[in-house]
Amino acid sequence: MSDTPLPALTQIPPDLRSLADYERRAPAHLTAEAWHHIEEGSGTGQTLRANREAFARRGFHPRAMADLCGGSTATDLFGRIHAAPLMLAPIAYQRLAHPDGELASVRAATALDTGTIVSTLSSVTLEDIAEAARAFARELGKPTAPLWFQLYLQPDREHSLALVRRAEAAGYEAIVLTIDAAIKLSGMTLPPGVGAANLAGMPLPRQTATPGGRILFGTPLADTAPRWEDLAWLREATVLPILVKGMVLGEDAVRAVDLGADALIVSNHGGRVLDGLPSVLDVIEEVAEATGGKVPLLADGGFRSGTDVVKALALGASSVLIGRPQMHALAVAGMPGVAHAIHLLRTELEAAMAQLGCPTPADIIRARLTHLY
Ligand code: FNR
């Protein structure tokens, strides 16, 4: 962590062998303010810690000598095959970590056949990101990987709709509606040259919430926060699959499915919004039971290794999103760094599945898990 950060490496040094290694190195490649912004949890960090501790509490009951022939991590979501149950989570302002920002991440994901969810608050336009993904896939002679657009509802529906239409036109395959972060305290000042590229020309938010800032209730920020009727509206507005991100309660999950959500993302926003939310691993099962397999569940929050991914799949998730590690890898080594980080996770996941006796994601069932303490 420095005010004159090191430039990104152009080659991956041999001592980078896990996502934790990237996390250790990242502060040297980021300004102090960017590092703090990426890492922070809200409040006293209870949820941030809970996300990680929940993995540590769980262990495995492997099946011995399973037949691993024909093993594969391939995962079907909305009729599209993902190479593994892994995607890049929407992360705002990626140019905070590297000058190429989202272009580097999406190229890395394309090279590794991994899906990307592009944030409304991306620091490169959604059109340029989609074009970079297509051009890189052509260059590599492979099909494009899944590309989804994450929507933050704007105070005016006309602007939300404009974003959805732009995402459709640019070839995005699903809309991820994030519902848990409309009211989020943030003290971050963006450096020059980094901004919300998709929102150029739209009215700036009329107020942001800052610690110790203005009172919230009665202001436009609170008055225009997403409501259930907005989900119903979005369902009418697009034929693309809709995922609702930020679900932590079975009851709400059922309501979202009733209103037409095609999938849910169980998430506490990486412990960045309401401090005191339970870990994601501790709520997946409730959401899975409530929705009874009607829609796929994805999950994010604290996933850092292949065994972490397996634990979520055993509890009912179909796929997992990776948040902060993208920014760590991007800061340390740009596009090759993110590609390497995804590769590390995929190889760890395959090793964990093989050691558990689970040749496919469908074999990863609740009975493979146990409590360590
Ligand atoms: C986020 N997250 C996020 N989510 C979202 O829906 N839209 C966004 O623009 C952002 N931006 C963002 C920026 C930064 C710096 C972070 C760390 C997170 C939340 C993100 O998608 C995901 O839910 C969490 O990051 C998952 O937790 P881990 O993997 O970071 O522990």
Side-chain angles (χ1 to χ4, degrees):
M1 169 172 40
S2 154
D3 282 315
T4 47
L6 298 176
L9 306 173
T10 49
Q11 285 192 333
I12 310 291
D15 63 334
L16 283 175
R17 288 193 218 98
S18 67
L19 269 50
D21 292 337
Y22 275 98
E23 184 170 356
R24 259 191 299 280
R25 278 222 186 199
H29 295 268
L30 290 159
T31 63
E33 188 167 24
W35 170 250
H36 177 72
H37 165 71
I38 294 163
E39 291 311 289
E40 72 183 346
S42 53
T44 58
Q46 290 169 349
T47 299
L48 188 67
R49 284 190 298 279
N51 275 348
R52 290 297 310 144
E53 285 164 9
F55 291 110
R57 288 201 313 273
R58 288 175 172 86
F60 296 116
H61 270 155
R63 294 310 303 263
M65 294 189 284
D67 180 355
L68 300 176
C69 290
S72 164
T73 56
T75 301
D76 183 340
L77 286 172
F78 314 126
R80 190 74 149 99
I81 303 299
H82 295 231
L86 282 176
M87 292 186 81
L88 297 186
I91 299 282
Y93 307 125
Q94 296 193 13
R95 293 184 65 217
L96 284 173
H98 189 280
D100 294 341
E102 290 82 358
L103 299 178
S105 314
V106 85
R107 287 183 185 124
T110 302
L112 271 292
D113 308 305
T114 297
T116 299
I117 308 177
V118 172
S119 169
T120 287
L121 300 178
S122 56
S123 51
V124 177
T125 63
L126 64 96
E127 288 85 1
D128 285 353
I129 298 168
E131 185 45 39
R134 270 192 296 272
F136 201 52
R138 268 198 306 276
E139 196 177 320
L140 299 176
K142 53 165 62 189
T144 54
L147 196 58
W148 298 352
F149 179 68
Q150 178 266 323
L151 178 67
Y152 276 135
L153 288 169
Q154 301 301 301
D156 301 309
R157 278 205 177 146
E158 104 193 62
H159 295 120
S160 303
L161 188 62
L163 287 168
V164 172
R165 291 287 174 264
R166 284 172 59 189
E168 290 168 345
Y172 286 77
E173 298 162 52
I175 302 291
V176 173
L177 177 69
T178 300
I179 51 98
D180 62 355
I183 311 285
K184 180 177 176 301
L185 299 182
S186 170
M188 172 76 180
T189 313
L190 291 172
V194 181
N198 296 320
L199 306 185
M202 292 190 195
L204 290 172
R206 279 168 278 188
Q207 186 201 2
T208 54
T210 51
R214 287 172 52 192
I215 299 296
L216 187 66
F217 286 127
T219 68
L221 191 68
D223 293 349
T224 60
R227 305 173 194 189
W228 289 105
E229 65 213 46
D230 294 312
L231 175 56
W233 165 81
L234 183 64
R235 179 66 293 165
E236 290 295 310
T238 184
V239 294
L240 290 180
I242 295 172
L243 298 94
V244 180
K245 175 171 181 278
M247 287 282 130
V248 287
L249 206 60
E251 238 175 88
D252 283 348
V254 169
R255 191 161 178 192
V257 174
D258 287 346
L259 284 170
D262 300 283
L264 304 173
I265 304 181
V266 182
S267 172
N268 52 37
H269 215 95
R272 294 167 76 79
V273 186
L274 176 61
D275 196 24
L277 287 179
S279 79
V280 165
L281 221 51
D282 284 320
V283 297
I284 293 178
E285 256 182 321
E286 186 206 325
V287 176
E289 270 166 33
T291 49
K294 274 196 202 148
V295 297
L297 299 182
L298 287 75
D300 71 20
F303 290 85
R304 301 292 180 266
S305 70
T307 53
D308 292 346
V309 177
V310 171
K311 289 171 188 174
L313 266 52
L315 292 169
S318 297
S319 185
V320 155
L321 317 183
I322 306 302
R324 292 177 183 85
Q326 273 180 75
M327 293 294 260
H328 303 152
L330 200 51
V332 172
M335 190 282 258
V338 179
H340 183 229
I342 298 171
H343 180 71
L344 286 170
L345 263 180
R346 286 189 49 189
T347 51
E348 286 174 7
L349 172 61
E350 288 196 14
M353 287 170 61
Q355 289 159 357
L356 256 187
C358 296
T360 72
D363 298 307
I364 306 174
I365 55 171
R366 183 74 181 79
R368 298 283 72 73
L369 282 193
T370 182
H371 275 275
L372 291 180
Y373 55 88

